[in-house]
Amino acid sequence: MIGLECHVQLDTYSKLFCSCPTKPETEEPNSACCEICLGMPGSKPVLNKKALDYALKVALALNCKINEKFFFSRKTYFYPDMSKNFQITQYEIPIGSQGFIELSSGKKICIRRVHLEEDPAALVHESGLLSSSYCLVNYNRSGIPLIEIVTEPDMASPQEAREFLDQLTMILSYLDVFDFENGTLKADCNLSVVGNERAEIKNVTGKRNVEKALEFEAKRQLELVKQGKQIVRETRGFDEKNLSTKSLRKKETEEDYGYIFEGDLVAFELTKKKIDAIRKSLPELHSDKAKRLAKEFGISEYDAKVISGSKFLSDLFEEFAKASSAKTANFFVSGVFVSIAHYENKEPEEMAPRLNVSQLKELLALFEQNRINEKALKEAAIAHITKGKNPLDFIKENCLFKEASSGEVEKIVEKVLSANPKAVADLKAGNEKSLNFLVGLAMRESKGKAEPREIKRIIEEKTK
Amino acid sequence: MKTQSVSEFAAQAKTGNIDLEENTHKILDKILKAENCNFFNSVSKDLALHQARELKAKIKAGKQVGRLFGVPVSVKDCICVKGVESRAGSKILEGYFPTFDATVVLKAKAEGAIIIGKTSQDEFGFGTFSTNTGLGFKAPRNPLDSERSCGGSSGGSAGITAFADFTHVSIAESTGGSIACPASFCGVAGFTPTYGLVSRFGLIDYANSLDKIGSMGKTVADSALLLETISGHDEKDSTSLNEKISFSPEASAKGMKIGVIKEFFGEGINPDVSKIAWASIKKLEKSGAKIREISLPLNAKYAIPAYYLIAMAESSTNLAKYCGMRYGAHENLSGSFNEYFSKVRSNNFGEEAKRRILLGTFARMSGFRDAYYLRAMKARTKLINEFKLAFKEFDVLVNPTMPVIAPKFFEIEKLSPIEQYAMDLCTVPSNIAGLPHISINAGFSQKMPVGIMLTAGHLKEQILFKVASVLEESQ
Amino acid sequence: MAKAKIDKELLLRVAANARLNLAEPEIKKFLPQMQAILDAFSMLDEIPDLKEEPSFQPIQLKNVFREDKAEKCLSQEQALSNTKHSKRGYFLGPKVVE
Ligand SMILES: [Mg+2]
Ligand SMILES: [Zn+2]
């Protein structure tokens, strides 16, 4: 069984309880701090309104029940990354509770709670975690708003956990509350084999690492069970280099957090009106969108899901579908663009700055008018995205227009046919093999530039 | 000779009739000569003289403004003054020079106040006699009898206010009675406002839901004027109220319904103290106030335990931040974080601080939290409600501020912690309920001052001012 | 509340939680004091039907926010001005493994 505690950084301008910038101009350590996020004696927190609105959006989008009255608490634990040695978080009553995310299989992963809290500082261990005799602390991150999303232990495999996180990030992208470029998603992963103690892997960064950490841990625990050994309750860390988990501390020394109310903050009370207003402001989320796209544009359910996988992709699709046919827009977005992003190892939204939509619209128009073929479309798109090339120029410079090439291909075909009368006779007699033979020859003659489909078409025409 | 009131002094200073630099020099000399009285944890000589020169320049430029123009103001050590070592009386804050001014300090400076230094206190405010000092600090001595305590925890503030033969006011702080108690023991006026009326931004916390910054002065008018200038909404403090007081100078008790809290005149209260307090109450009656007894059984019984549990639980989290990393006392960096933090904390907290950290940590530990911390938080609601009911009938409640006169140091040494906590019997209820209260002198017993305490409903500071002024005039 | 019995083990657990090392004389002193204090405080048990909600503050306050605006913060030098342990712009803290 797997349960996750995900920490997601909210995309605000200022920190959760002070007005320090969340995206400082320099990378210098401790250059984006004030008395509040450094926990200097005498300083006091004041809640960032936007962060609360964002948290409410997330809780609603995750189908949570919103608690109309809530407050903040102090969670006391001593650690060099905590500027006050307590974290301002929520304990008794979180903003949202009892939500869920539905996986593609229809299985619901229950969400126990969604709450708002402050991020600790970043620690640097100069000569590695284990051998450093001190740590370097950078409080620039201290106080950045996080939402913590805690699931029930509902996931049966690392793959399900991965899908959960994929769905979660999709939702966050639709809500526009998460900074995909700079933000991080971190998770504490609880994993247990039924009937045994659980282990917690702390602070795993990124979806891929979560999946890898869980895969390793599942294997390790199953192996122990197989050998009849006991699994101890403990906290483990994930080593990104070796893709393995290591024991950090056994659970019996568990910290007593001694939660109390945060007396420097006041109680919060939401009106039904406010909650409804936020609920109404929620954008159409991916599952609804996938259904709508399939129905409205007549594209396959699979493609509709791919496109709805992020707000960015679906916006792009709808934009193109206005200019050309849905079929073309779909081919470009789910076929061409997604595979380029995949090849570049980037999330689609990260490619956004590289796209010139109006230039791409011209390119799609050419394809729609059958003036270029699929191959030309792809090549021009790659040149545009990876090299910033205007796709229209690319087509012109490389003579990829169909009209220009067709004449040449025709000449090549004629040449091949007249040089191979026997094969032509065989073909006319119904021998399919000789067609392939002739296509092959013509391909070689064109030095691979021509499209096999087109050669085939011309040969068939000429040998009717 | 009677010293000039704050408003008289400020008016004089604005005309240029007082050489502020010279006056400040003189005052600083007097303070330094009285060093063995231990009123100050640090004297901000350079800052004070710099400010005095700046104000002089303002007079020349014709820009003199402010109701505290040129007035020497001392600040309790737990309130941050930019660039001045601010330690809340604790060794663990040795070397902490805040990069910012507390809002109250900013406001006082904006009114032309000259900040002369940080007054001594119990470490973090943990005490009633200013004897629970941090390591290396000394307890302030009562200016009326150096063998006796100034009271606490704002002991230094009360001591210097009583000692001063010059115009001066002090910014003090109360969590459970820390303004009223020393005001009573030193015979000065101590004004504790409604919770939230004065910004806590820049206050080194004792207990966030109880701490109140207030004022001390030789007279009701002086302390009221200071309170007026430092009060008002502050967006840097979430618990700051959207209110500002301004006192209209009026002494009147006519028609006032005054409740005498029965429980605070009986057992545990020195009979002489009771008698002196009653004499004052009779004076109010003569001035036209309607006097009746009232019983506050819940507060009399449960305010002390509820207050101490909340205060200790909150303070144990506030004190968690002190670990020798970012400010204050440091040790050689060695060992694991647990070892290092424990070393710094064990070497630099005083005994009462340790005791309260332990009790506060215990009170919020899982397994005990519901029975101690949470129960105390619920009890507070009940105690506040008892007061609310009382204020439906009364304008002001009255009691002796402290059950005794300022005790001698050797007497204090004999008290167990629980006996010391019990001394706050009369001051804690108004504090746990966040009610405004004032302590002024009511007379003398064994040549030591006896204070009387007036409490009003939330934000009814003006009523306190009127009634306290009547008592003051009748002295 | 069931009166808590403060024994040495519990006291040391609390002290460890609060990151305080207690010397033997301190333990001797604090043990009976804490017991006496907590016994006295357990008087809260007697309060009849305590059904009230806890008070966060003595005055009920709610919904206090600030707008999401980034403002000027401390310089690195100011941020580090109160620490004795720093290196290359970082605060220096104790190591995090035991
Ligand atoms: Mg958390
Ligand atoms: Zn900050």
Side-chain angles (χ1 to χ4, degrees):
Chain A
M1 301 310 288
I2 295 167
L4 297 174
E5 288 169 30
C6 310
H7 290 96
V8 180
Q9 195 174 316
L10 293 175
D11 190 17
T12 53
Y13 296 114
S14 63
K15 292 183 178 179
L16 185 55
F17 297 117
C18 62
S19 55
C20 288
T22 53
K23 293 175 194 107
E25 281 160 24
T26 83
E27 296 276 298
E28 276 291 299
N30 300 303
S31 63
C33 308
C34 69
E35 293 85 4
I36 299 166
C37 51
L38 287 171
M40 290 295 189
S43 67
K44 306 264 174 286
V46 184
L47 180 66
N48 182 336
K49 189 164 192 287
K50 176 95 91 38
L52 176 60
D53 286 348
Y54 280 2
L56 281 168
K57 274 190 182 182
V58 174
L60 283 168
L62 297 178
N63 308 297
C64 284
K65 173 180 150 280
I66 301 297
N67 295 305
E68 284 163 35
K69 287 184 187 177
F70 57 88
F71 47 84
F72 288 86
S73 295
R74 292 178 171 184
K75 174 183 182 179
T76 306
Y77 67 96
F78 290 78
Y79 209 65
D81 68 359
M82 291 298 318
S83 61
K84 305 179 287 295
N85 284 327
F86 64 76
Q87 182 189 31
I88 305 179
T89 179
Q90 294 189 290
Y91 177 57
E92 281 99 336
I93 306 175
I95 288 176
S97 42
Q98 298 166 357
F100 64 87
I101 278 182
E102 195 176 315
L103 301 184
S104 56
S105 62
K107 177 175 175 179
K108 278 183 182 170
I109 306 301
C110 293
I111 289 164
R112 190 181 298 163
R113 55 188 284 143
V114 172
H115 73 241
L116 197 51
E117 65 183 25
E118 54 179 345
D119 204 355
L123 298 184
V124 180
H125 311 285
E126 267 191 318
S127 43
L129 178 64
L130 296 168
S131 47
S132 293
S133 57
Y134 54 81
C135 64
L136 300 174
V137 195
N138 175 4
Y139 289 95
N140 284 354
R141 221 178 61 200
S142 170
I144 284 192
L146 299 180
I147 40 165
E148 179 171 329
I149 299 155
V150 184
T151 75
E152 297 294 342
D154 285 352
M155 287 154 277
S157 66
Q159 290 69 42
E160 273 193 8
R162 174 61 196 252
E163 200 200 329
F164 172 85
L165 291 176
D166 283 339
Q167 299 266 9
L168 177 63
T169 46
M170 267 183 231
I171 292 170
L172 295 172
S173 83
Y174 272 95
L175 296 176
D176 218 6
V177 298
F178 178 62
D179 177 1
F180 279 89
E181 263 177 79
N182 305 300
T184 52
L185 179 144
K186 284 187 190 170
D188 299 339
C189 316
N190 287 288
L191 187 143
S192 65
V193 176
V194 177
N196 290 277
E197 281 288 1
R198 71 186 156 96
E200 182 180 24
I201 316 159
K202 273 268 176 218
N203 230 353
V204 188
T205 307
K207 295 189 280 188
R208 186 177 154 273
N209 284 333
V210 169
E211 192 180 3
K212 293 290 167 204
L214 285 169
E215 276 171 4
F216 178 90
E217 188 59 19
K219 228 164 106 187
R220 185 186 72 88
Q221 291 192 17
L222 285 170
E223 190 60 36
L224 284 174
V225 172
K226 215 167 94 189
Q227 291 171 7
K229 287 184 184 152
Q230 261 228 303
I231 295 167
V232 283
R233 182 138 187 224
E234 63 181 350
T235 302
R236 301 177 69 84
F238 180 61
D239 185 335
E240 292 187 17
K241 280 193 198 112
N242 309 319
L243 302 181
S244 62
T245 68
K246 282 198 191 83
S247 179
L248 291 179
R249 55 182 182 270
K250 305 277 180 258
K251 268 286 176 180
E252 54 263 33
T253 56
E254 194 169 17
E255 191 87 27
D256 193 319
Y257 296 129
Y259 289 95
I260 64 167
F261 303 123
E262 171 51 271
D264 276 341
L265 293 170
V266 299
F268 293 89
E269 215 176 307
L270 303 167
T271 57
K272 286 223 161 54
K273 221 172 109 192
K274 159 105 182 167
I275 298 171
D276 279 344
I278 291 191
R279 196 191 308 270
K280 280 201 190 99
S281 78
L282 289 184
E284 179 187 31
L285 293 179
H286 64 287
S287 53
D288 294 334
K289 184 161 265 180
K291 280 175 206 148
R292 180 173 67 82
L293 292 184
K295 208 173 134 198
E296 199 174 314
F297 293 97
I299 59 178
S300 77
E301 255 177 53
Y302 178 82
D303 287 349
K305 262 192 191 160
V306 171
I307 289 172
S308 314
S310 87
K311 181 174 188 305
F312 170 71
L313 278 184
S314 56
D315 286 351
L316 199 63
F317 167 76
E318 292 200 68
E319 176 84 30
F320 287 140
K322 268 186 265 167
S324 52
S325 73
K327 199 176 157 210
T328 300
N330 179 27
F331 172 68
F332 177 75
V333 174
S334 65
V336 179
F337 178 67
V338 168
S339 57
I340 295 173
H342 192 76
Y343 185 76
E344 295 264 305
N345 214 348
K346 292 256 159 51
E347 295 290 330
E349 33 278 279
E350 290 178 78
M351 314 281 279
R354 306 193 198 173
L355 299 184
N356 181 323
V357 173
S358 63
Q359 287 181 4
L360 286 171
K361 277 185 183 167
E362 287 173 5
L363 178 68
L364 293 191
L366 289 181
F367 181 76
E368 186 102 337
Q369 294 152 16
N370 202 22
R371 292 180 61 198
I372 56 169
N373 58 32
E374 281 181 16
K375 195 158 164 275
L377 173 71
K378 274 184 198 165
E379 281 172 8
I382 291 170
H384 176 67
I385 292 167
T386 59
K387 299 199 185 81
K389 187 88 193 154
N390 181 335
L392 206 61
D393 292 347
F394 182 86
I395 299 281
K396 279 184 199 150
E397 283 162 25
N398 294 284
C399 305
L400 295 176
F401 285 112
K402 267 190 182 169
E403 301 94 287
S405 62
S406 286
E408 245 170 79
V409 177
E410 212 167 324
K411 271 181 213 155
I412 291 169
V413 170
E414 273 168 11
K415 197 175 151 195
V416 168
L417 293 184
S418 60
N420 296 281
K422 181 161 185 310
V424 174
D426 285 352
L427 177 60
K428 283 183 177 167
N431 187 339
E432 283 293 319
K433 271 185 191 163
S434 60
L435 173 62
N436 290 342
F437 171 71
L438 289 167
V439 171
L441 284 178
M443 278 296 286
R444 201 180 310 156
E445 192 72 23
S446 78
K447 297 191 176 72
K449 267 191 180 168
E451 246 207 324
R453 233 176 31 173
E454 201 179 359
I455 296 173
K456 222 167 166 179
R457 180 176 61 81
I458 298 171
I459 294 176
E460 278 168 348
E461 248 174 48
K462 306 251 171 207
T463 53
K464 251 182 213 160
Chain B
M1 191 190 84
K2 200 168 171 282
T3 55
Q4 265 180 323
S5 75
V6 168
S7 55
E8 282 163 4
F9 180 93
Q12 286 279 309
K14 282 181 197 174
T15 64
N17 286 348
I18 300 169
D19 184 328
L20 288 180
E21 200 176 352
E22 204 178 284
N23 183 63
T24 308
H25 248 303
K26 226 164 64 193
I27 285 164
L28 291 169
D29 274 353
K30 282 184 183 170
I31 290 173
L32 291 170
K33 270 195 197 121
E35 209 182 3
N36 58 351
C37 295
N38 309 321
F39 299 139
F40 285 88
N41 284 348
S42 59
V43 175
S44 50
K45 193 175 168 185
D46 294 346
L47 172 69
L49 290 174
H50 172 77
Q51 282 185 288
R53 280 190 291 271
E54 272 190 349
L55 293 179
K56 266 174 90 174
K58 275 191 178 170
I59 298 173
K60 265 199 184 148
K63 286 196 296 191
Q64 67 278 30
V65 283
R67 288 171 289 172
L68 301 176
F69 196 82
V71 175
V73 175
S74 60
V75 178
K76 191 175 178 180
D77 199 17
C78 59
I79 296 166
C80 289
V81 179
K82 187 175 176 177
V84 176
E85 196 177 23
S86 299
R87 292 175 286 182
S90 181
K91 180 163 189 275
I92 208 158
L93 274 168
E94 201 168 78
Y96 176 49
F97 292 86
T99 48
F100 62 106
D101 271 322
T103 300
V104 290
V105 172
L106 271 185
K107 288 190 174 205
K109 279 184 177 173
E111 295 280 355
I114 293 178
I115 309 297
I116 54 171
K118 309 295 303 292
T119 57
S120 55
Q121 58 170 103
D122 290 287
E123 185 173 15
F124 291 107
F126 297 156
T128 308
F129 306 107
S130 295
T131 49
N132 292 331
T133 51
L135 303 170
F137 291 86
K138 287 181 191 151
R141 298 177 170 276
N142 197 305
L144 286 85
D145 177 352
S146 66
E147 292 308 307
R148 291 179 188 269
S149 159
C150 280
S153 65
S154 307
S157 281
I160 181 65
T161 304
F163 171 85
D165 59 354
F166 45 83
T167 304
H168 155 270
V169 277
S170 191
I171 303 179
E173 181 275 340
S174 172
T175 306
S178 289
I179 293 177
C181 160
S184 166
F185 285 173
C186 295
V188 300
F191 214 141
T192 308
T194 305
Y195 178 88
L197 183 70
V198 176
S199 167
R200 290 183 298 115
F201 188 82
L203 170 67
I204 300 172
D205 306 300
Y206 168 177
N208 319 67
S209 76
L210 294 160
D211 295 343
K212 300 154 293 277
I213 293 178
S215 64
M216 278 189 198
K218 278 202 180 300
T219 63
V220 173
D222 277 3
S223 70
L225 178 55
L226 176 60
L227 187 61
E228 203 176 295
T229 58
I230 60 174
S231 72
H233 181 248
D234 179 14
E235 57 187 26
K236 285 174 158 175
D237 172 3
S238 303
T239 62
S240 162
L241 300 175
N242 219 338
E243 303 277 348
K244 173 141 184 74
I245 45 156
S246 55
F247 293 103
S248 53
E250 188 192 347
S252 162
K254 210 172 164 70
M256 229 38 115
K257 283 171 272 179
I258 293 178
V260 178
I261 305 173
K262 211 160 61 184
E263 286 85 355
F264 300 154
F265 285 82
E267 202 188 327
I269 312 294
N270 178 295
D272 217 20
V273 167
S274 269
K275 216 174 75 192
I276 291 167
W278 261 117
S280 285
I281 294 164
K282 291 290 172 205
K283 285 179 193 162
L284 290 175
E285 194 165 31
K286 261 195 199 141
S287 311
K290 289 179 199 135
I291 310 291
R292 249 184 46 215
E293 276 197 329
I294 179 184
S295 176
L296 296 177
L298 294 175
N299 272 283
K301 230 174 152 183
Y302 303 119
I304 292 258
Y307 162 76
Y308 273 97
L309 281 168
I310 296 169
M312 286 169 175
E314 290 186 8
S315 68
S316 68
T317 63
N318 286 321
L319 268 52
K321 66 170 85 69
Y322 305 115
C323 63
M325 264 187 74
R326 293 161 289 263
Y327 45 77
H330 289 63
E331 301 274 343
N332 274 337
L333 198 59
S334 65
S336 74
F337 71 102
N338 279 326
E339 288 160 354
Y340 178 75
F341 290 170
S342 303
K343 178 171 68 180
V344 170
R345 293 164 63 77
S346 305
N347 291 349
N348 293 285
F349 279 131
E351 184 182 309
E352 182 63 17
K354 286 182 186 173
R355 189 155 34 235
R356 295 201 188 192
I357 290 172
L358 290 170
L359 284 160
T361 303
F362 170 84
R364 57 187 173 79
M365 251 162 62
S366 64
F368 303 106
R369 182 178 177 273
D370 288 5
Y372 290 89
Y373 168 69
L374 264 185
R375 199 168 170 84
M377 290 292 275
K378 290 176 187 167
R380 165 153 75 181
T381 309
K382 223 177 174 81
L383 300 175
I384 294 170
N385 289 342
E386 189 180 51
F387 268 117
K388 281 187 177 161
L389 211 65
F391 283 116
K392 281 188 178 158
E393 251 184 277
F394 295 97
D395 299 304
V396 173
L397 301 179
V398 59
N399 54 268
T401 310
M402 296 301 288
V404 292
I405 56 165
K408 294 190 168 159
F409 289 113
F410 80 88
E411 293 171 323
I412 297 167
E413 266 172 45
K414 284 191 266 178
L415 297 174
S416 72
I418 195 84
E419 285 166 331
Q420 294 202 13
Y421 302 163
M423 287 286 180
D424 298 337
L425 171 73
C426 311
T427 53
V428 153
S430 306
N431 275 280
I432 198 174
L435 295 164
H437 54 281
I438 190 168
S439 175
I440 60 164
N441 185 248
F444 290 82
S445 165
Q446 299 173 56
K447 291 184 185 155
M448 292 306 290
V450 170
I452 188 163
M453 180 168 138
L454 309 172
T455 300
H458 288 141
L459 295 168
K460 303 281 194 217
E461 275 81 356
Q462 173 67 35
I463 295 182
L464 293 179
F465 180 76
K466 281 164 76 171
V467 178
S469 298
V470 170
L471 280 178
E472 193 175 55
E473 282 173 12
S474 71
Q475 284 289 310
Chain C
M1 79 191 79
K3 270 189 193 171
K5 174 91 189 71
I6 310 291
D7 55 18
K8 185 172 171 180
E9 194 200 324
L10 181 54
L11 176 63
L12 290 179
R13 203 174 83 183
V14 176
N17 203 329
R19 303 302 187 276
L20 289 175
N21 303 323
L22 296 183
E24 209 47 56
E26 284 179 309
I27 297 173
K28 272 220 177 85
K29 192 173 196 176
F30 286 153
L31 255 182
Q33 286 179 346
M34 281 184 65
Q35 187 69 65
I37 293 165
L38 290 170
D39 284 353
F41 288 177
S42 63
M43 180 200 274
L44 289 185
D45 264 357
E46 302 165 8
I47 303 184
D49 48 58
L50 188 54
K51 291 189 197 78
E52 280 76 3
E53 290 288 315
S55 312
F56 297 96
Q57 281 99 12
I59 290 199
Q60 274 187 26
L61 295 156
K62 65 180 184 195
N63 297 351
V64 177
F65 306 103
R66 39 172 279 273
E67 293 304 317
D68 179 31
K69 260 200 327 223
E71 270 158 38
K72 204 171 159 279
C73 55
L74 294 176
S75 68
Q76 186 191 67
E77 195 192 344
Q78 287 170 318
L80 294 166
S81 64
N82 271 293
T83 186
K84 293 195 181 79
H85 297 323
S86 69
K87 188 176 177 182
R88 288 188 287 115
Y90 289 92
F91 284 88
L92 216 48
K95 62 177 181 182
V96 296
V97 275
E98 303 285 315

